């Protein structure tokens, strides 16, 4: 499964800005709340997180040390 | 689409205005649409109009000599851009491009002058908005000049990867990292890119892989 951005539903105000900047069609508004649809097209550009005015989208990173 | 008075009311520049005043201002407002990634204004151009974002998001940015883009701020609905060249008559200080489909309201420079003269409340609002902008840029400048953000990001990554095991370490967003080291999210994004170019880390989709701890330690320098 591709890691996708996460939405904190309670923080989402339904403004739709994340959708306007996303190039992957991985975000939609359902009942005025942004919802993530898993897609391989999402390149984790994190622009949705950058534009969200309420901090409702998170693009978290795992931090690991290269083995070997 | 005709210019929407209800939307004008939400613009910080037009707060506290009555309906008659908004109607008078509305006559000067024109609408313009842009596609994703289209340039709206370019650095160095004369400032011909003041713009307000109606829908979508616009990024204001500068491009360095090496072609690197530095985002100065994101402009969301209700917010304005291109104010500086319109107010001081000098060329544009930054470029602006649409981050997705964007609808704007614009007011020509000469009309902005008329509005400021006829509606003192707008002038008072402009002062307030620009003061807020100065605060934003002051903290960016502070980051750029007084503190070593790159070093602090390197230190954070090292400490984070070396403490505890995977499960108990929550994953961090660029926003989280910014909050942890007391900087702006833009600065974290820029630092991660710089560390990747140095070969100290590799960004593998949602994974930041520390590929060269020694280089990271050097970057973190005396902060460690
Ligand atoms: S930008 Fe943020 S608040 Fe707006 S719809 Fe997307 S998740 Fe919700
Ligand atoms: S990370 Fe980029 S591509 Fe993925 S959902 Fe967000 S805006 Fe779309």
């Amino acid at each position: 499964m591709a890691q996708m951005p996460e939405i904190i539903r309670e923080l989402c105000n339904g403004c739709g800005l994340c959708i306007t900047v996303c190039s992957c069609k991985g975000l939609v508004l359902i009942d005025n709340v942004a919802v993530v649809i898993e897609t391989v097209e999402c390149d984790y550009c994190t622009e949705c997180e950058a534009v969200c005015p309420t901090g409702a989208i998170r693009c978290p990173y795992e931090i690991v040390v290269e083995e070997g | 689409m005709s210019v929407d008075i209800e939307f004008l009311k939400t613009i910080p520049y037009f707060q506290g205005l009555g309906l008659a005043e908004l109607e008078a201002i509305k006559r000067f407002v024109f609408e313009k649409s842009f596609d994703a990634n289209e340039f709206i204004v370019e650095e160095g151009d004369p400032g011909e109009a003041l713009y307000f974002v109606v829908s979508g998001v616009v990024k204001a940015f500068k491009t360095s000599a090496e072609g690197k883009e530095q985002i100065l701020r994101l402009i969301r609905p209700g917010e304005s851009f291109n104010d500086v060249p319109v107010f001081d008559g000098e060329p544009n200080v930054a470029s602006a491009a649409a981050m997705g489909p964007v609808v704007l309201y614009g007011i020509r420079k000469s009309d902005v002058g008329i509005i400021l003269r006829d509606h003192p409340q707008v002038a008072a609002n402009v002062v307030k908005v620009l003061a807020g902008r100065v605060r934003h840029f002051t903290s960016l400048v502070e980051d750029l000049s007084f503190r070593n953000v790159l070093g602090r990001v390197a230190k954070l990554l090292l400490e984070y990867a070396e403490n505890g095991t995977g499960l108990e370490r929550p994953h961090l967003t660029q926003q989280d990292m910014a909050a942890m080291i007391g900087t702006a999210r833009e600065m974290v994004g820029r630092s991660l890119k710089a560390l990747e170019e140095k070969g100290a880390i590799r960004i593998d989709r949602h994974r930041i892989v520390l590929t060269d701890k020694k280089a990271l330690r050097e970057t973190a320098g005396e902060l460690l």
Side-chain angles (χ1 to χ4, degrees):
Chain A
M1 190 187 108
Q3 168 82 36
M4 293 291 294
E6 303 163 358
I7 312 249
I8 306 165
R9 293 179 57 90
E10 302 71 52
L11 292 181
C12 173
N13 66 15
C15 70
L17 291 183
C18 52
I19 295 161
T20 69
V21 301
C22 174
S23 52
C24 81
K25 305 205 168 51
L27 297 165
V28 287
L29 275 188
I30 297 178
D31 293 336
N32 224 24
V33 176
V35 174
V36 172
I37 303 169
E38 199 192 323
T39 165
V40 290
E41 301 289 311
C42 166
D43 61 358
Y44 224 70
C45 67
T46 79
E47 289 203 347
C48 49
E49 177 187 301
V51 302
C52 177
T54 65
I57 293 205
R58 295 174 51 84
C59 298
Y61 289 94
E62 187 183 355
I63 300 168
V64 294
V65 178
E66 182 141 85
E67 300 296 331
Chain B
M1 204 176 95
S2 71
V3 172
D4 181 4
I5 285 274
E6 286 307 310
F7 184 80
L8 290 184
K9 271 192 204 162
T10 69
I11 294 178
Y13 278 1
F14 303 139
Q15 292 303 298
L17 298 186
L19 204 56
E21 282 185 293
L22 288 168
E23 285 289 351
I25 290 169
K26 179 181 159 181
R27 284 185 287 121
F28 296 113
V29 180
F30 60 88
E31 190 184 296
K32 246 179 151 172
S33 300
F34 291 86
D35 291 330
N37 303 320
E38 229 183 307
F39 269 74
I40 301 163
V41 296
E42 288 201 52
E43 191 175 342
D45 285 352
E48 274 152 10
L50 173 63
Y51 291 109
F52 301 95
V53 176
V54 178
S55 64
V57 183
V58 169
K59 62 176 173 188
F61 62 99
K62 282 182 99 78
T63 313
S64 71
E66 307 90 62
K68 270 196 215 144
E69 192 179 272
Q70 163 73 33
I71 295 188
L72 300 174
R73 82 190 169 98
L74 298 180
I75 305 132
R76 301 186 177 81
E79 294 171 349
S80 56
F81 64 98
N82 221 29
D83 340 43
V84 173
V86 165
F87 293 144
D88 71 5
E90 300 285 328
N92 275 321
V93 285
S95 301
M99 288 183 75
V102 160
V103 177
L104 304 176
Y105 281 170
I107 302 177
R108 288 211 326 271
K109 186 177 167 182
S110 51
D111 296 335
V112 170
I114 298 173
I115 292 171
L116 288 176
R117 192 194 61 208
D118 294 351
H119 306 277
Q121 178 64 44
V122 176
N125 292 341
V126 166
V127 170
K128 207 167 157 199
V129 170
L130 292 185
R133 203 87 54 76
V134 170
R135 274 185 193 279
H136 169 83
F137 287 128
T138 305
S139 58
L140 265 189
V141 168
E142 196 177 42
D143 266 345
L144 288 168
S145 55
F146 299 134
R147 313 192 222 158
N148 180 355
V149 179
L150 190 65
R152 292 209 317 265
V153 171
K155 177 169 180 266
L156 173 78
L157 292 176
L158 278 170
E159 288 179 345
Y160 212 73
E162 282 165 357
N163 287 327
T165 53
L167 282 179
E168 64 215 39
R169 272 197 317 254
H171 296 180
L172 299 181
T173 64
Q174 292 186 32
Q175 186 63 60
D176 296 332
M177 295 181 221
M180 287 165 83
I181 61 171
T183 187
R185 188 185 183 282
E186 299 94 298
M187 297 294 291
V188 171
R190 204 176 157 198
S191 301
L192 290 175
K193 263 195 214 137
L195 289 173
E196 191 171 32
E197 277 163 21
K198 264 178 187 274
I201 63 169
R202 185 175 73 242
I203 301 172
D204 200 357
R205 195 181 170 83
H206 66 286
R207 200 168 283 130
I208 297 174
V209 185
L210 314 193
T211 47
D212 187 348
K213 286 213 264 180
K214 189 163 164 274
L216 279 174
R217 268 197 209 97
E218 275 162 16
T219 308
E222 74 275 21
L223 294 170
L224 278 174

